Amino acid sequence: MDLFANLATGFGAAVTPVNLGFCLFGCLIGTLIGVLPGIGPIATIAMLLPVTFGLSPLGALIMLAGIYYGAQYGGSTTAILVNLPGESSSVVTCIDGYQMAQKGRAGAALAIAAVGSFIAGCVGTVLIAAFAPVLAAFAVKFRSPEYFALMLFGLIAAVILAHGSVIKAVGMVILGLLVGLVGTESQSATARFTFGVPELYDGVDFVPLAMGLFGLAEILSNLDRSRDRRPAATMISTLWPSREEIRRAAPAVARGTMIGALLGILPGGGAVLASFAAYTLEKKTSRYAAEFGKGAVEGVAAPEAANNAGAQTSFIPLLTLGIPSNPVMALMMGAMLIQGIAPGTAIISERPELFWGMVASMWVGNLMLIVINLPLIGIWVRLLRVPYRMLFPCIVVLCCVGAYSVNSSTFLILMMAGFALLGYVFGKLGCEGAPFLLGFVLGPLMEENFRRSMVLSFGDPTIFLRRPISLCILLAALALIALIVVPQFRTRRDEAFQE
Amino acid sequence: MVRVRSPQDFWAGILFIVFGGAALWISRGYAFGSLTKMGPGYLPTALSWALVAVGGVLMLRALAIDGPAIERSLVAPQLFILAAIVVFALAIERLGLALAVVLVAVTSSLASRDMRWGETLALAVGIAALCVLLFVHLLGQPFTVWAF
Amino acid sequence: MNDRLALGRSGRVAVLVLALLGLVPGPSPAAAQQDYPNRALHVFIGFPAGSGADILGRYFAAQLEKLAGKPVVVENKPGANSNIAAGIVATAKPDGYSILFIASSNMAGSRFLFKSLPFDTVKDFTPVAAYAEIAFVLTVGAKSPIKSVAELTAYLKSRKQNKYGATNQTAILSTEYYKQLAGVDAVHVAYRTAPEALPDVEDGTLDFMIMDGTFAVGPIKAGKIRALAVTTAQRIAALPDVPTMREAGVGNFEFSPWWGVYVPAGTPQPIVAKLGAWMNQISRTEEARQFLERIAALPLSDDSKATAARLQEDIVKWEPLVKAAKIEPQ
């Protein structure tokens, strides 16, 4: 069958010593930068771009791709261990992953994250191999109106993410939206909320925000407990997940993979939505819904699977249509352009060894990553046993260095301190960071797509209703609102009955 | 006198109102436009009002429904950590990475009551060495290691 | 023991540390010129990582690193049409370590496009070199029946509501120039990146788009969009069959956006000369020419004086353009 012949070509091209070497190098660097707060795949790939000019096209792409999904694996590690999200999509893993670590289940959480990611990665690779053109055709139907609808849907879902009060979650989403609007607005080039500070003209940078709001704020609140905290960390029973945990995680991985695979193909914001959507789905459909936010294993398995599946399928628009789905893909496209390869539909036919070689290397990369990451779990868990008084200064140091490495600006470091304080205050007031972050990420995209839709339709708001896909998504969003509102009524009725 | 029955909600409401109000004040200079031809000020203004409204609702609810109290803050440890971050911002360009990391490690360690000087200094030097190795030599980041 | 007393001894130590830090002077003033460079150079590019401008700039930065013998760090500071990047370099120390890679459209045009800039693109900068010229391509969807610029002009004239896409100032201004010369009207739809706009060009949602050559060549060759003309004065090697706008009959149209290197005004002449010589050296290599060809660009090797002259020419050309296009200054 054609598929097998193609895969054979692909493996033949990818499994040469040189290309395997590139893959390993990429995966190792990727894992490292994923674990280190601050530096991310974008900065690393951008730095390595000129180097790729002298490499073979396939080798260069394999290496860069390895960095990208290696960083996904690494980012989950810090999310679980110290509540530091490496990427915006790792934020969701922080919610339950960190709680699991608090309860002494760090090893289990890391293992589930790694294995779930691996399974999702394999499935993602198969999907690319078998369905790339079909998925691409689906992705192309998404334009500004559909994106707006999707972002709106995502924001409403963010409210469900919260395990506390709905009203506060709404407030946090709105606050996140406002902070997301900081920067220069694209259509009119007006600077908003920038106070004349040049570092704010591109908006608030995600790295200092996430590190301050999540990682550092967590340290600030931990220090309120008078004795060296976390006795539970020393009570780790086993390194691996229990049978029960695996049983619960498996279907979550399956669902997360599907969501991630679908949302990852959508250029623009797909990856972030994938992990949030997977988490929300689990929370709403699980028997163990009460555990979410306190260490539910599904809350780690689903988003992690979604993340990694999304990372694989996000290559599809680039390799089939020449459209990058996120900034990392844009850089990959840059690498291809440097090599003289114009990404687009021609690639599959004109340079099959490139397309199939990449597909094969993705699977190889995922294999390498699970081999790298599983043994590391033992080391990470042992790291957690270090007395907190020695651990937290290291986290503070790494956050500072990481924030500075973004673009050598001391302003960002001070901003990180500000967010740390803000996150601490949020914690005291029972306000959650995850809805804030989703508002922050989706807000500007939503505005941009809304405005563009309005310009394209010459001011006609029914454009969202006339297009079938966006109409469906908007209806789903309405259904979601109903889901949020209705249980409230139900509880009040129950209370009334009890009286 | 009206009693605040849910301190967390109450103060969260105040926080929202303050932020919303500030945003509203700042956005007053941006062009508003209309829904179909949104100016840069449209969304900020609309969102600010929404935030203020949410804050108001929260505050009112806090007067009627019981909720958890705000946990006590020790203040001192938090100040040390924040000071440590500021120290880094000041030190990184003047003193170089190595010294900056040592200073941050020491300053933030001071936040813990169980801190011991010998252990802290050893840790500080250790993590400084690790950072230099990792960020400068392995990852090629443009840090000045030693500014003298 | 009362937790709040923890501030006691440790607090005094901390205060002492902070006070001492305040006494340490900031980074030392400009280094000696003959040692230039004796530390990393910072190149500021006003476009995001992965954009056409960025790819081009990073190539030169990498080659520059080889010649300079010190690391060259590329810092992407996108936003406000490169004004942020320009602003940073305008106020940086004139010691040759803060370098701006910027497009002619920004340097020449920003004074007309923005009401109040915190810097002056002529007075606050010293031009160092010009290193590349990029072609922009006028495109329509492949399924469109329009096969030439003349047909496009006729089509646009016959309809009231036309839409064109543009991702940066150069594209907007060259479109306005075309509109003015051809006598047509169209509304601008903003996109952040060319690939984002591609599906809308392909299926005709956008009536036409003047696109960065770097990103246009791939889809053109893949048959998704059709090139009607290039904006440069001569045809480009990557698209030999595509006429120039002038050949296609659009008056005296010539829009050759070029990329230049600038440092803050007051940078010592020997440093400017050294940096300029390196840039010229790079653009004269065969490897650079091949690289540039792949991204639909041509090498330029202008030195400081020639670059200054080019900039002046552009400023003179742009003023009436911006006014005629009735673009509102921000």
Side-chain angles (χ1 to χ4, degrees), chain C:
Chain C
M1 190 167 103
N2 190 338
D3 293 329
R4 290 185 193 265
L5 282 181
L7 192 53
R9 214 186 73 209
S10 318
R12 288 196 285 259
V13 172
V15 171
L16 190 61
V17 169
L18 274 172
L20 282 174
L21 266 178
L23 290 176
V24 175
S28 52
Q33 292 166 24
Q34 47 272 49
D35 292 338
Y36 178 80
N38 63 7
R39 58 177 204 275
L41 300 174
H42 286 253
V43 167
F44 293 89
I45 297 183
F47 288 91
S51 59
D54 179 62
I55 297 171
L56 178 63
R58 279 183 190 269
Y59 173 79
F60 275 86
Q63 305 305 312
L64 189 61
E65 191 169 296
K66 291 184 200 147
L67 291 176
K70 287 282 173 199
V72 174
V73 179
V74 173
E75 302 200 35
N76 297 91
K77 301 276 182 191
N81 297 301
S82 293
N83 282 348
I84 290 142
I88 294 175
V89 177
T91 51
K93 287 209 193 68
D95 55 8
Y97 291 94
S98 301
I99 302 166
L100 181 66
F101 280 14
I102 192 169
S104 58
S105 55
N106 305 115
M107 278 313 246
S110 47
R111 67 187 51 224
F112 309 117
L113 298 166
F114 294 90
K115 268 189 223 141
S116 60
L117 281 175
F119 54 83
D120 180 299
T121 54
V122 173
K123 290 199 211 102
D124 295 331
F125 295 91
T126 305
V128 174
Y131 60 93
E133 197 172 18
I134 306 208
F136 273 61
V137 187
L138 175 57
T139 61
V140 293
K143 302 198 191 99
S144 160
I146 298 172
K147 296 215 167 47
S148 73
V149 181
E151 283 177 36
L152 178 67
T153 309
Y155 173 78
L156 293 174
K157 276 196 180 141
S158 71
R159 290 160 38 109
K160 263 201 242 151
Q161 293 181 325
N162 298 315
K163 297 166 276 192
Y164 75 88
T167 56
N168 54 47
Q169 211 55 41
T170 308
I172 296 176
L173 279 167
S174 50
T175 311
E176 293 297 326
Y177 195 17
Y178 161 66
K179 279 163 62 181
Q180 187 196 354
L181 287 174
V184 298
D185 198 19
V187 155
H188 164 232
V189 183
Y191 295 83
R192 281 186 196 269
T193 62
E196 236 177 78
L198 198 56
D200 284 343
V201 179
E202 267 184 79
D203 72 358
T205 308
L206 291 171
D207 295 304
F208 68 97
M209 180 165 176
I210 293 191
M211 205 190 273
D212 206 323
T214 311
F215 290 106
V217 173
I220 292 173
K221 295 227 162 93
K224 297 167 157 208
I225 59 179
R226 180 180 308 133
L228 298 182
V230 289
T231 61
T232 40
Q234 286 114 13
R235 298 192 179 198
I236 57 173
L239 298 170
D241 301 324
V242 177
T244 66
M245 289 286 267
R246 237 185 247 173
E247 285 172 0
V250 187
N252 216 4
F253 190 109
E254 199 239 305
F255 218 88
S256 308
W258 51 275
W259 283 81
V261 182
Y262 299 81
V263 286
T267 306
Q269 187 46 34
I271 294 183
V272 173
K274 209 177 199 179
L275 194 55
W278 283 332
M279 291 301 290
N280 292 156
Q281 192 181 334
I282 300 170
S283 36
R284 289 200 185 104
T285 64
E286 176 61 20
E287 186 190 87
R289 194 195 61 76
Q290 281 181 0
F291 174 81
L292 289 174
E293 195 177 289
R294 283 186 200 158
I295 57 173
L298 296 163
L300 287 176
S301 327
D302 286 356
D303 66 0
S304 175
K305 272 220 191 70
T307 308
R310 230 182 233 267
L311 180 62
Q312 206 48 42
E313 258 174 50
D314 271 2
I315 293 180
V316 166
K317 178 158 94 179
W318 282 55
E319 179 162 17
L321 237 188
V322 176
K323 294 221 166 78
K326 295 198 210 83
I327 298 180
E328 272 304 312
Q330 299 294 336

Side-chain angles (χ1 to χ4, degrees), chain B residues 49-137:
Chain B
W49 278 117
L51 192 59
V52 169
V54 168
V57 169
L58 261 176
M59 276 179 69
L60 289 174
R61 248 171 126 246
L63 299 174
I65 302 176
D66 282 328
I70 302 178
E71 284 170 25
R72 209 175 63 126
S73 165
L74 293 172
V75 181
Q78 286 80 27
L79 283 178
F80 274 113
I81 302 281
L82 292 174
I85 303 175
V86 172
V87 162
F88 186 84
L90 291 171
I92 182 73
E93 274 160 14
R94 281 159 229 243
L95 302 178
L97 182 66
L99 271 183
V101 170
V102 168
L103 284 173
V104 172
V106 169
T107 317
S108 53
S109 293
L110 292 170
S112 164
R113 284 190 328 117
D114 305 314
M115 179 256 202
R116 295 165 214 162
W117 275 103
E119 180 187 87
T120 301
L121 286 170
L123 181 71
V125 172
I127 189 103
L130 183 68
C131 282
V132 171
L133 261 163
L134 210 50
F135 288 93
V136 179
H137 292 121

Side-chain angles (χ1 to χ4, degrees), chain A residues 436-456:
Chain A
F436 176 91
L437 204 101
L438 195 54
F440 171 74
V441 171
L442 293 185
L445 289 172
M446 211 174 73
E447 187 192 26
E448 195 180 302
N449 281 299
F450 182 79
R451 281 166 125 240
R452 196 179 301 138
S453 304
M454 285 292 106
V455 176
L456 286 174

Side-chain angles (χ1 to χ4, degrees), chain A residues 169-405:
Chain A
V170 171
M172 289 303 273
V173 168
I174 298 177
L175 192 57
L177 283 169
L178 279 171
V179 175
L181 291 181
V182 170
T184 313
E185 192 272 313
S186 55
Q187 189 97 10
S188 63
T190 319
R192 296 187 291 196
F193 300 128
T194 56
F195 309 110
V197 177
E199 280 91 344
L200 290 179
Y201 277 45
D202 313 337
V204 172
D205 196 277
F206 174 80
V207 168
L209 179 108
M211 295 206 289
L213 213 58
F214 288 83
L216 292 173
E218 180 62 27
I219 296 181
L220 290 181
S221 66
N222 279 336
L223 290 171
D224 273 337
R225 273 148 256 187
S226 45
R227 278 266 66 168
D228 201 359
R229 43 169 286 290
R230 289 187 307 146
T234 55
M235 282 178 354
I236 299 169
S237 29
T238 49
L239 225 50
W240 301 106
S242 67
R243 265 236 185 99
E244 160 90 15
E245 283 167 336
I246 298 180
R247 191 182 56 81
R248 281 169 56 179
V253 167
R255 287 187 287 262
T257 306
M258 282 299 113
I259 294 183
L262 273 175
L263 288 176
I265 2 167
L266 298 178
V272 181
L273 273 178
S275 52
F276 280 100
Y279 184 88
T280 312
L281 181 67
E282 289 307 306
K283 192 172 171 203
K284 277 289 149 184
T285 59
S286 169
R287 275 186 291 151
Y288 308 94
E291 276 183 48
F292 276 73
K294 303 193 192 100
V297 70
E298 296 90 336
V300 176
E304 279 304 305
N307 257 350
N308 213 36
Q312 309 298 324
T313 55
S314 63
F315 279 86
I316 292 181
L318 178 66
L319 294 176
T320 54
L321 301 169
I323 301 175
S325 348
N326 55 49
V328 174
M329 289 301 126
L331 284 169
M332 300 282 290
M333 186 157 140
M336 292 169 97
L337 285 170
I338 291 178
Q339 295 281 344
I341 305 163
T345 42
I347 289 198
I348 304 189
S349 40
E350 275 175 31
R351 311 228 11 194
E353 85 285 356
L354 205 64
F355 181 80
W356 296 107
M358 278 231 60
V359 171
S361 84
M362 282 183 203
W363 189 81
V364 172
N366 270 289
L367 190 63
M368 282 188 187
L369 282 165
I370 192 124
V371 166
I372 295 173
N373 278 285
L374 282 179
L376 282 179
I377 294 181
I379 301 182
W380 298 129
V381 168
R382 225 159 282 150
L383 209 64
L384 278 186
R385 295 219 190 113
V386 168
Y388 196 60
R389 66 172 183 280
M390 303 210 318
L391 193 59
F392 79 78
C394 296
I395 301 174
V396 175
V397 164
L398 287 176
C399 284
C400 286
V401 178
Y404 189 72
S405 73

